[in-house]
PDB file of all heavy atoms in Angstrom:
ATOM      1  N   PHE A 482     -33.771  27.149  46.266  1.00  0.00           N
ATOM      2  CA  PHE A 482     -33.383  28.537  46.174  1.00  0.00           C
ATOM      3  C   PHE A 482     -34.414  29.437  46.886  1.00  0.00           C
ATOM      4  O   PHE A 482     -34.018  30.334  47.646  1.00  0.00           O
ATOM      5  CB  PHE A 482     -33.272  28.965  44.699  1.00  0.00           C
ATOM      6  CG  PHE A 482     -32.860  30.396  44.482  1.00  0.00           C
ATOM      7  CD1 PHE A 482     -31.631  30.841  44.898  1.00  0.00           C
ATOM      8  CD2 PHE A 482     -33.701  31.272  43.831  1.00  0.00           C
ATOM      9  CE1 PHE A 482     -31.250  32.187  44.726  1.00  0.00           C
ATOM     10  CE2 PHE A 482     -33.359  32.591  43.627  1.00  0.00           C
ATOM     11  CZ  PHE A 482     -32.096  33.023  44.067  1.00  0.00           C
ATOM     12  N   ARG A 483     -35.704  29.183  46.712  1.00  0.00           N
ATOM     13  CA  ARG A 483     -36.715  29.945  47.390  1.00  0.00           C
ATOM     14  C   ARG A 483     -36.605  29.765  48.903  1.00  0.00           C
ATOM     15  O   ARG A 483     -36.693  30.776  49.643  1.00  0.00           O
ATOM     16  CB  ARG A 483     -38.086  29.504  46.932  1.00  0.00           C
ATOM     17  CG  ARG A 483     -39.261  30.254  47.612  1.00  0.00           C
ATOM     18  CD  ARG A 483     -40.620  29.702  47.171  1.00  0.00           C
ATOM     19  NE  ARG A 483     -40.874  29.993  45.796  1.00  0.00           N
ATOM     20  CZ  ARG A 483     -41.364  31.174  45.346  1.00  0.00           C
ATOM     21  NH1 ARG A 483     -41.692  32.126  46.229  1.00  0.00           N
ATOM     22  NH2 ARG A 483     -41.606  31.374  44.057  1.00  0.00           N
ATOM     23  N   GLN A 484     -36.373  28.559  49.363  1.00  0.00           N
ATOM     24  CA  GLN A 484     -36.215  28.353  50.821  1.00  0.00           C
ATOM     25  C   GLN A 484     -35.018  29.086  51.376  1.00  0.00           C
ATOM     26  O   GLN A 484     -35.054  29.659  52.488  1.00  0.00           O
ATOM     27  CB  GLN A 484     -36.086  26.849  51.148  1.00  0.00           C
ATOM     28  CG  GLN A 484     -37.396  26.066  50.947  1.00  0.00           C
ATOM     29  CD  GLN A 484     -37.168  24.569  51.015  1.00  0.00           C
ATOM     30  OE1 GLN A 484     -36.103  24.060  50.741  1.00  0.00           O
ATOM     31  NE2 GLN A 484     -38.223  23.827  51.407  1.00  0.00           N
ATOM     32  N   THR A 485     -33.948  29.134  50.581  1.00  0.00           N
ATOM     33  CA  THR A 485     -32.740  29.852  51.021  1.00  0.00           C
ATOM     34  C   THR A 485     -33.053  31.344  51.219  1.00  0.00           C
ATOM     35  O   THR A 485     -32.668  31.955  52.196  1.00  0.00           O
ATOM     36  CB  THR A 485     -31.622  29.680  49.970  1.00  0.00           C
ATOM     37  OG1 THR A 485     -31.271  28.285  49.914  1.00  0.00           O
ATOM     38  CG2 THR A 485     -30.401  30.491  50.346  1.00  0.00           C
ATOM     39  N   LEU A 486     -33.743  31.915  50.205  1.00  0.00           N
ATOM     40  CA  LEU A 486     -34.089  33.332  50.338  1.00  0.00           C
ATOM     41  C   LEU A 486     -35.063  33.563  51.495  1.00  0.00           C
ATOM     42  O   LEU A 486     -34.868  34.543  52.241  1.00  0.00           O
ATOM     43  CB  LEU A 486     -34.785  33.799  49.002  1.00  0.00           C
ATOM     44  CG  LEU A 486     -33.910  33.828  47.755  1.00  0.00           C
ATOM     45  CD1 LEU A 486     -34.780  34.224  46.537  1.00  0.00           C
ATOM     46  CD2 LEU A 486     -32.744  34.796  47.916  1.00  0.00           C
ATOM     47  N   GLU A 487     -36.014  32.693  51.658  1.00  0.00           N
ATOM     48  CA  GLU A 487     -36.991  32.863  52.800  1.00  0.00           C
ATOM     49  C   GLU A 487     -36.238  32.791  54.122  1.00  0.00           C
ATOM     50  O   GLU A 487     -36.526  33.532  55.058  1.00  0.00           O
ATOM     51  CB  GLU A 487     -38.077  31.812  52.696  1.00  0.00           C
ATOM     52  CG  GLU A 487     -39.019  32.035  51.539  1.00  0.00           C
ATOM     53  CD  GLU A 487     -39.976  30.887  51.298  1.00  0.00           C
ATOM     54  OE1 GLU A 487     -39.740  29.775  51.815  1.00  0.00           O
ATOM     55  OE2 GLU A 487     -40.975  31.050  50.566  1.00  0.00           O
ATOM     56  N   HIS A 488     -35.321  31.848  54.214  1.00  0.00           N
ATOM     57  CA  HIS A 488     -34.555  31.707  55.486  1.00  0.00           C
ATOM     58  C   HIS A 488     -33.721  32.960  55.768  1.00  0.00           C
ATOM     59  O   HIS A 488     -33.689  33.449  56.872  1.00  0.00           O
ATOM     60  CB  HIS A 488     -33.631  30.492  55.363  1.00  0.00           C
ATOM     61  CG  HIS A 488     -32.815  30.247  56.615  1.00  0.00           C
ATOM     62  ND1 HIS A 488     -31.503  30.691  56.693  1.00  0.00           N
ATOM     63  CD2 HIS A 488     -33.089  29.681  57.787  1.00  0.00           C
ATOM     64  CE1 HIS A 488     -31.034  30.355  57.908  1.00  0.00           C
ATOM     65  NE2 HIS A 488     -31.978  29.750  58.584  1.00  0.00           N
ATOM     66  N   PHE A 489     -33.101  33.485  54.714  1.00  0.00           N
ATOM     67  CA  PHE A 489     -32.262  34.667  54.842  1.00  0.00           C
ATOM     68  C   PHE A 489     -33.087  35.902  55.268  1.00  0.00           C
ATOM     69  O   PHE A 489     -32.750  36.616  56.227  1.00  0.00           O
ATOM     70  CB  PHE A 489     -31.490  34.949  53.560  1.00  0.00           C
ATOM     71  CG  PHE A 489     -30.722  36.234  53.575  1.00  0.00           C
ATOM     72  CD1 PHE A 489     -29.732  36.464  54.510  1.00  0.00           C
ATOM     73  CD2 PHE A 489     -30.939  37.220  52.659  1.00  0.00           C
ATOM     74  CE1 PHE A 489     -28.960  37.619  54.544  1.00  0.00           C
ATOM     75  CE2 PHE A 489     -30.219  38.403  52.652  1.00  0.00           C
ATOM     76  CZ  PHE A 489     -29.236  38.609  53.577  1.00  0.00           C
ATOM     77  N   PHE A 490     -34.182  36.127  54.576  1.00  0.00           N
ATOM     78  CA  PHE A 490     -34.943  37.319  54.789  1.00  0.00           C
ATOM     79  C   PHE A 490     -35.925  37.270  55.970  1.00  0.00           C
ATOM     80  O   PHE A 490     -36.252  38.306  56.518  1.00  0.00           O
ATOM     81  CB  PHE A 490     -35.728  37.704  53.540  1.00  0.00           C
ATOM     82  CG  PHE A 490     -34.877  38.101  52.380  1.00  0.00           C
ATOM     83  CD1 PHE A 490     -34.993  37.457  51.147  1.00  0.00           C
ATOM     84  CD2 PHE A 490     -33.893  39.091  52.503  1.00  0.00           C
ATOM     85  CE1 PHE A 490     -34.185  37.818  50.075  1.00  0.00           C
ATOM     86  CE2 PHE A 490     -33.113  39.471  51.428  1.00  0.00           C
ATOM     87  CZ  PHE A 490     -33.244  38.814  50.218  1.00  0.00           C
ATOM     88  N   SER A 491     -36.361  36.072  56.335  1.00  0.00           N
ATOM     89  CA  SER A 491     -37.441  35.982  57.310  1.00  0.00           C
ATOM     90  C   SER A 491     -37.129  36.637  58.662  1.00  0.00           C
ATOM     91  O   SER A 491     -38.028  37.244  59.236  1.00  0.00           O
ATOM     92  CB  SER A 491     -37.811  34.490  57.518  1.00  0.00           C
ATOM     93  OG  SER A 491     -36.697  33.775  58.124  1.00  0.00           O
ATOM     94  N   GLU A 492     -35.938  36.460  59.121  1.00  0.00           N
ATOM     95  CA  GLU A 492     -35.565  37.023  60.417  1.00  0.00           C
ATOM     96  C   GLU A 492     -34.511  38.101  60.342  1.00  0.00           C
ATOM     97  O   GLU A 492     -33.890  38.422  61.332  1.00  0.00           O
ATOM     98  CB  GLU A 492     -35.105  35.908  61.348  1.00  0.00           C
ATOM     99  CG  GLU A 492     -36.079  34.778  61.580  1.00  0.00           C
ATOM    100  CD  GLU A 492     -37.345  35.246  62.338  1.00  0.00           C
ATOM    101  OE1 GLU A 492     -37.247  36.202  63.099  1.00  0.00           O
ATOM    102  OE2 GLU A 492     -38.406  34.653  62.066  1.00  0.00           O
ATOM    103  N   LEU A 493     -34.299  38.663  59.145  1.00  0.00           N
ATOM    104  CA  LEU A 493     -33.201  39.539  58.942  1.00  0.00           C
ATOM    105  C   LEU A 493     -33.225  40.728  59.901  1.00  0.00           C
ATOM    106  O   LEU A 493     -32.252  41.102  60.559  1.00  0.00           O
ATOM    107  CB  LEU A 493     -33.116  40.046  57.508  1.00  0.00           C
ATOM    108  CG  LEU A 493     -31.915  40.921  57.129  1.00  0.00           C
ATOM    109  CD1 LEU A 493     -30.658  40.186  57.340  1.00  0.00           C
ATOM    110  CD2 LEU A 493     -32.056  41.384  55.672  1.00  0.00           C
ATOM    111  N   ASP A 494     -34.385  41.392  60.007  1.00  0.00           N
ATOM    112  CA  ASP A 494     -34.449  42.561  60.871  1.00  0.00           C
ATOM    113  C   ASP A 494     -34.424  42.249  62.339  1.00  0.00           C
ATOM    114  O   ASP A 494     -34.076  43.126  63.153  1.00  0.00           O
ATOM    115  CB  ASP A 494     -35.691  43.401  60.538  1.00  0.00           C
ATOM    116  CG  ASP A 494     -35.393  44.517  59.530  1.00  0.00           C
ATOM    117  OD1 ASP A 494     -34.177  44.860  59.417  1.00  0.00           O
ATOM    118  OD2 ASP A 494     -36.301  45.021  58.907  1.00  0.00           O
ATOM    119  N   SER A 495     -34.767  41.029  62.737  1.00  0.00           N
ATOM    120  CA  SER A 495     -34.709  40.703  64.120  1.00  0.00           C
ATOM    121  C   SER A 495     -33.271  40.310  64.516  1.00  0.00           C
ATOM    122  O   SER A 495     -32.804  40.587  65.643  1.00  0.00           O
ATOM    123  CB  SER A 495     -35.632  39.559  64.489  1.00  0.00           C
ATOM    124  OG  SER A 495     -35.276  38.367  63.780  1.00  0.00           O
ATOM    125  N   ASP A 496     -32.503  39.740  63.570  1.00  0.00           N
ATOM    126  CA  ASP A 496     -31.088  39.404  63.838  1.00  0.00           C
ATOM    127  C   ASP A 496     -30.198  40.584  63.603  1.00  0.00           C
ATOM    128  O   ASP A 496     -29.191  40.791  64.334  1.00  0.00           O
ATOM    129  CB  ASP A 496     -30.667  38.277  62.894  1.00  0.00           C
ATOM    130  CG  ASP A 496     -31.284  36.941  63.230  1.00  0.00           C
ATOM    131  OD1 ASP A 496     -31.916  36.865  64.282  1.00  0.00           O
ATOM    132  OD2 ASP A 496     -31.117  36.006  62.443  1.00  0.00           O
ATOM    133  N   VAL A 497     -30.460  41.357  62.600  1.00  0.00           N
ATOM    134  CA  VAL A 497     -29.555  42.396  62.169  1.00  0.00           C
ATOM    135  C   VAL A 497     -30.364  43.679  61.949  1.00  0.00           C
ATOM    136  O   VAL A 497     -31.428  43.655  61.403  1.00  0.00           O
ATOM    137  CB  VAL A 497     -28.930  42.003  60.779  1.00  0.00           C
ATOM    138  CG1 VAL A 497     -28.030  43.108  60.278  1.00  0.00           C
ATOM    139  CG2 VAL A 497     -28.158  40.697  60.924  1.00  0.00           C
ATOM    140  N   PRO A 498     -29.842  44.840  62.388  1.00  0.00           N
ATOM    141  CA  PRO A 498     -30.599  46.089  62.271  1.00  0.00           C
ATOM    142  C   PRO A 498     -30.476  46.604  60.826  1.00  0.00           C
ATOM    143  O   PRO A 498     -29.996  47.711  60.575  1.00  0.00           O
ATOM    144  CB  PRO A 498     -29.922  47.012  63.277  1.00  0.00           C
ATOM    145  CG  PRO A 498     -28.501  46.491  63.300  1.00  0.00           C
ATOM    146  CD  PRO A 498     -28.584  45.008  63.135  1.00  0.00           C
ATOM    147  N   PHE A 499     -30.957  45.817  59.831  1.00  0.00           N
ATOM    148  CA  PHE A 499     -30.800  46.183  58.443  1.00  0.00           C
ATOM    149  C   PHE A 499     -31.522  47.455  58.076  1.00  0.00           C
ATOM    150  O   PHE A 499     -31.025  48.336  57.387  1.00  0.00           O
ATOM    151  CB  PHE A 499     -31.203  45.040  57.493  1.00  0.00           C
ATOM    152  CG  PHE A 499     -30.946  45.375  56.084  1.00  0.00           C
ATOM    153  CD1 PHE A 499     -29.668  45.378  55.560  1.00  0.00           C
ATOM    154  CD2 PHE A 499     -32.022  45.697  55.245  1.00  0.00           C
ATOM    155  CE1 PHE A 499     -29.452  45.692  54.234  1.00  0.00           C
ATOM    156  CE2 PHE A 499     -31.789  46.053  53.883  1.00  0.00           C
ATOM    157  CZ  PHE A 499     -30.509  46.033  53.419  1.00  0.00           C
ATOM    158  N   ALA A 500     -32.777  47.546  58.549  1.00  0.00           N
ATOM    159  CA  ALA A 500     -33.554  48.751  58.200  1.00  0.00           C
ATOM    160  C   ALA A 500     -32.914  49.987  58.764  1.00  0.00           C
ATOM    161  O   ALA A 500     -32.796  51.056  58.129  1.00  0.00           O
ATOM    162  CB  ALA A 500     -34.990  48.627  58.730  1.00  0.00           C
ATOM    163  N   ALA A 501     -32.463  49.911  60.027  1.00  0.00           N
ATOM    164  CA  ALA A 501     -31.776  51.049  60.657  1.00  0.00           C
ATOM    165  C   ALA A 501     -30.465  51.392  59.934  1.00  0.00           C
ATOM    166  O   ALA A 501     -30.153  52.586  59.751  1.00  0.00           O
ATOM    167  CB  ALA A 501     -31.488  50.768  62.143  1.00  0.00           C
ATOM    168  N   LEU A 502     -29.724  50.372  59.537  1.00  0.00           N
ATOM    169  CA  LEU A 502     -28.499  50.568  58.790  1.00  0.00           C
ATOM    170  C   LEU A 502     -28.786  51.348  57.508  1.00  0.00           C
ATOM    171  O   LEU A 502     -28.122  52.275  57.169  1.00  0.00           O
ATOM    172  CB  LEU A 502     -27.818  49.238  58.457  1.00  0.00           C
ATOM    173  CG  LEU A 502     -26.612  49.256  57.539  1.00  0.00           C
ATOM    174  CD1 LEU A 502     -25.434  50.010  58.223  1.00  0.00           C
ATOM    175  CD2 LEU A 502     -26.191  47.842  57.168  1.00  0.00           C
ATOM    176  N   SER A 503     -29.866  50.901  56.792  1.00  0.00           N
ATOM    177  CA  SER A 503     -30.226  51.606  55.555  1.00  0.00           C
ATOM    178  C   SER A 503     -30.602  53.050  55.780  1.00  0.00           C
ATOM    179  O   SER A 503     -30.259  53.925  54.998  1.00  0.00           O
ATOM    180  CB  SER A 503     -31.427  50.825  54.874  1.00  0.00           C
ATOM    181  OG  SER A 503     -31.086  49.488  54.678  1.00  0.00           O
ATOM    182  N   MET A 504     -31.336  53.312  56.903  1.00  0.00           N
ATOM    183  CA  MET A 504     -31.691  54.659  57.199  1.00  0.00           C
ATOM    184  C   MET A 504     -30.489  55.540  57.502  1.00  0.00           C
ATOM    185  O   MET A 504     -30.398  56.669  57.041  1.00  0.00           O
ATOM    186  CB  MET A 504     -32.612  54.678  58.431  1.00  0.00           C
ATOM    187  CG  MET A 504     -33.984  54.090  58.203  1.00  0.00           C
ATOM    188  SD  MET A 504     -34.920  54.039  59.762  1.00  0.00           S
ATOM    189  CE  MET A 504     -36.186  52.842  59.371  1.00  0.00           C
ATOM    190  N   LEU A 505     -29.499  54.989  58.214  1.00  0.00           N
ATOM    191  CA  LEU A 505     -28.246  55.713  58.503  1.00  0.00           C
ATOM    192  C   LEU A 505     -27.521  56.082  57.220  1.00  0.00           C
ATOM    193  O   LEU A 505     -27.086  57.203  57.022  1.00  0.00           O
ATOM    194  CB  LEU A 505     -27.385  54.929  59.429  1.00  0.00           C
ATOM    195  CG  LEU A 505     -27.714  54.928  60.914  1.00  0.00           C
ATOM    196  CD1 LEU A 505     -26.789  53.976  61.649  1.00  0.00           C
ATOM    197  CD2 LEU A 505     -27.561  56.337  61.467  1.00  0.00           C
ATOM    198  N   VAL A 506     -27.351  55.070  56.355  1.00  0.00           N
ATOM    199  CA  VAL A 506     -26.591  55.266  55.128  1.00  0.00           C
ATOM    200  C   VAL A 506     -27.312  56.268  54.229  1.00  0.00           C
ATOM    201  O   VAL A 506     -26.664  57.179  53.623  1.00  0.00           O
ATOM    202  CB  VAL A 506     -26.372  53.933  54.403  1.00  0.00           C
ATOM    203  CG1 VAL A 506     -25.782  54.169  52.973  1.00  0.00           C
ATOM    204  CG2 VAL A 506     -25.448  53.021  55.213  1.00  0.00           C
ATOM    205  N   ALA A 507     -28.652  56.171  54.192  1.00  0.00           N
ATOM    206  CA  ALA A 507     -29.406  57.146  53.366  1.00  0.00           C
ATOM    207  C   ALA A 507     -29.287  58.544  53.837  1.00  0.00           C
ATOM    208  O   ALA A 507     -29.388  59.516  53.020  1.00  0.00           O
ATOM    209  CB  ALA A 507     -30.914  56.726  53.338  1.00  0.00           C
ATOM    210  N   SER A 508     -29.070  58.771  55.158  1.00  0.00           N
ATOM    211  CA  SER A 508     -29.004  60.149  55.700  1.00  0.00           C
ATOM    212  C   SER A 508     -27.549  60.675  55.687  1.00  0.00           C
ATOM    213  O   SER A 508     -27.302  61.817  56.099  1.00  0.00           O
ATOM    214  CB  SER A 508     -29.552  60.158  57.103  1.00  0.00           C
ATOM    215  OG  SER A 508     -28.698  59.515  58.016  1.00  0.00           O
ATOM    216  N   MET A 509     -26.612  59.888  55.203  1.00  0.00           N
ATOM    217  CA  MET A 509     -25.233  60.332  55.182  1.00  0.00           C
ATOM    218  C   MET A 509     -24.932  61.247  54.002  1.00  0.00           C
ATOM    219  O   MET A 509     -25.453  61.066  52.899  1.00  0.00           O
ATOM    220  CB  MET A 509     -24.265  59.134  55.084  1.00  0.00           C
ATOM    221  CG  MET A 509     -24.209  58.288  56.369  1.00  0.00           C
ATOM    222  SD  MET A 509     -23.350  56.709  56.113  1.00  0.00           S
ATOM    223  CE  MET A 509     -21.714  57.218  55.696  1.00  0.00           C
ATOM    224  N   ALA A 510     -24.105  62.245  54.231  1.00  0.00           N
ATOM    225  CA  ALA A 510     -23.657  63.138  53.173  1.00  0.00           C
ATOM    226  C   ALA A 510     -22.663  62.336  52.300  1.00  0.00           C
ATOM    227  O   ALA A 510     -21.987  61.427  52.802  1.00  0.00           O
ATOM    228  CB  ALA A 510     -23.022  64.398  53.741  1.00  0.00           C
ATOM    229  N   PRO A 511     -22.491  62.750  51.038  1.00  0.00           N
ATOM    230  CA  PRO A 511     -21.518  62.017  50.169  1.00  0.00           C
ATOM    231  C   PRO A 511     -20.120  61.947  50.769  1.00  0.00           C
ATOM    232  O   PRO A 511     -19.453  60.899  50.592  1.00  0.00           O
ATOM    233  CB  PRO A 511     -21.532  62.837  48.881  1.00  0.00           C
ATOM    234  CG  PRO A 511     -22.920  63.462  48.850  1.00  0.00           C
ATOM    235  CD  PRO A 511     -23.239  63.772  50.305  1.00  0.00           C
ATOM    236  N   ASP A 512     -19.640  63.023  51.390  1.00  0.00           N
ATOM    237  CA  ASP A 512     -18.286  63.001  51.933  1.00  0.00           C
ATOM    238  C   ASP A 512     -18.182  62.018  53.095  1.00  0.00           C
ATOM    239  O   ASP A 512     -17.151  61.382  53.350  1.00  0.00           O
ATOM    240  CB  ASP A 512     -17.824  64.389  52.360  1.00  0.00           C
ATOM    241  CG  ASP A 512     -18.706  65.050  53.407  1.00  0.00           C
ATOM    242  OD1 ASP A 512     -19.937  64.844  53.350  1.00  0.00           O
ATOM    243  OD2 ASP A 512     -18.193  65.721  54.284  1.00  0.00           O
ATOM    244  N   GLN A 513     -19.301  61.850  53.853  1.00  0.00           N
ATOM    245  CA  GLN A 513     -19.314  60.899  55.001  1.00  0.00           C
ATOM    246  C   GLN A 513     -19.239  59.459  54.390  1.00  0.00           C
ATOM    247  O   GLN A 513     -18.516  58.604  54.952  1.00  0.00           O
ATOM    248  CB  GLN A 513     -20.541  61.085  55.794  1.00  0.00           C
ATOM    249  CG  GLN A 513     -20.563  62.305  56.661  1.00  0.00           C
ATOM    250  CD  GLN A 513     -21.834  62.475  57.425  1.00  0.00           C
ATOM    251  OE1 GLN A 513     -22.946  62.364  56.826  1.00  0.00           O
ATOM    252  NE2 GLN A 513     -21.789  62.779  58.690  1.00  0.00           N
ATOM    253  N   ARG A 514     -19.993  59.216  53.322  1.00  0.00           N
ATOM    254  CA  ARG A 514     -19.950  57.878  52.693  1.00  0.00           C
ATOM    255  C   ARG A 514     -18.540  57.551  52.239  1.00  0.00           C
ATOM    256  O   ARG A 514     -18.075  56.441  52.370  1.00  0.00           O
ATOM    257  CB  ARG A 514     -20.974  57.773  51.549  1.00  0.00           C
ATOM    258  CG  ARG A 514     -22.379  57.785  51.964  1.00  0.00           C
ATOM    259  CD  ARG A 514     -23.297  57.325  50.832  1.00  0.00           C
ATOM    260  NE  ARG A 514     -24.674  57.634  51.135  1.00  0.00           N
ATOM    261  CZ  ARG A 514     -25.353  58.660  50.616  1.00  0.00           C
ATOM    262  NH1 ARG A 514     -24.764  59.424  49.725  1.00  0.00           N
ATOM    263  NH2 ARG A 514     -26.623  58.853  50.945  1.00  0.00           N
ATOM    264  N   GLU A 515     -17.897  58.530  51.615  1.00  0.00           N
ATOM    265  CA  GLU A 515     -16.545  58.317  51.104  1.00  0.00           C
ATOM    266  C   GLU A 515     -15.584  58.051  52.254  1.00  0.00           C
ATOM    267  O   GLU A 515     -14.714  57.188  52.192  1.00  0.00           O
ATOM    268  CB  GLU A 515     -16.110  59.560  50.343  1.00  0.00           C
ATOM    269  CG  GLU A 515     -14.691  59.471  49.788  1.00  0.00           C
ATOM    270  CD  GLU A 515     -14.424  58.340  48.826  1.00  0.00           C
ATOM    271  OE1 GLU A 515     -15.426  57.702  48.301  1.00  0.00           O
ATOM    272  OE2 GLU A 515     -13.242  57.996  48.571  1.00  0.00           O
ATOM    273  N   GLU A 516     -15.745  58.767  53.374  1.00  0.00           N
ATOM    274  CA  GLU A 516     -14.873  58.535  54.544  1.00  0.00           C
ATOM    275  C   GLU A 516     -15.061  57.110  55.075  1.00  0.00           C
ATOM    276  O   GLU A 516     -14.061  56.436  55.388  1.00  0.00           O
ATOM    277  CB  GLU A 516     -15.191  59.541  55.640  1.00  0.00           C
ATOM    278  CG  GLU A 516     -14.261  59.400  56.832  1.00  0.00           C
ATOM    279  CD  GLU A 516     -14.576  60.402  57.924  1.00  0.00           C
ATOM    280  OE1 GLU A 516     -15.278  61.403  57.683  1.00  0.00           O
ATOM    281  OE2 GLU A 516     -14.063  60.169  59.053  1.00  0.00           O
TER     282      GLU A 516
END
């Protein structure tokens, strides 16, 4: 289980723009999130 988590998280930001996605969602107004 630990190896699975390490594999998933180790390269997450290099494969997927997760941090940028989180920043975008955090800056959205409630009506934009609903849309």
Side-chain angles (χ1 to χ4, degrees):
F482 180 62
R483 179 183 292 274
Q484 288 170 333
T485 296
L486 293 176
E487 289 171 345
H488 180 262
F489 174 59
F490 293 125
S491 64
E492 302 295 331
L493 185 60
D494 265 341
S495 63
D496 288 352
V497 178
F499 182 74
L502 173 66
S503 303
M504 292 175 198
L505 280 174
V506 172
S508 71
M509 289 168 63
D512 59 323
Q513 289 175 313
R514 289 196 194 103
E515 177 62 15
E516 182 180 345

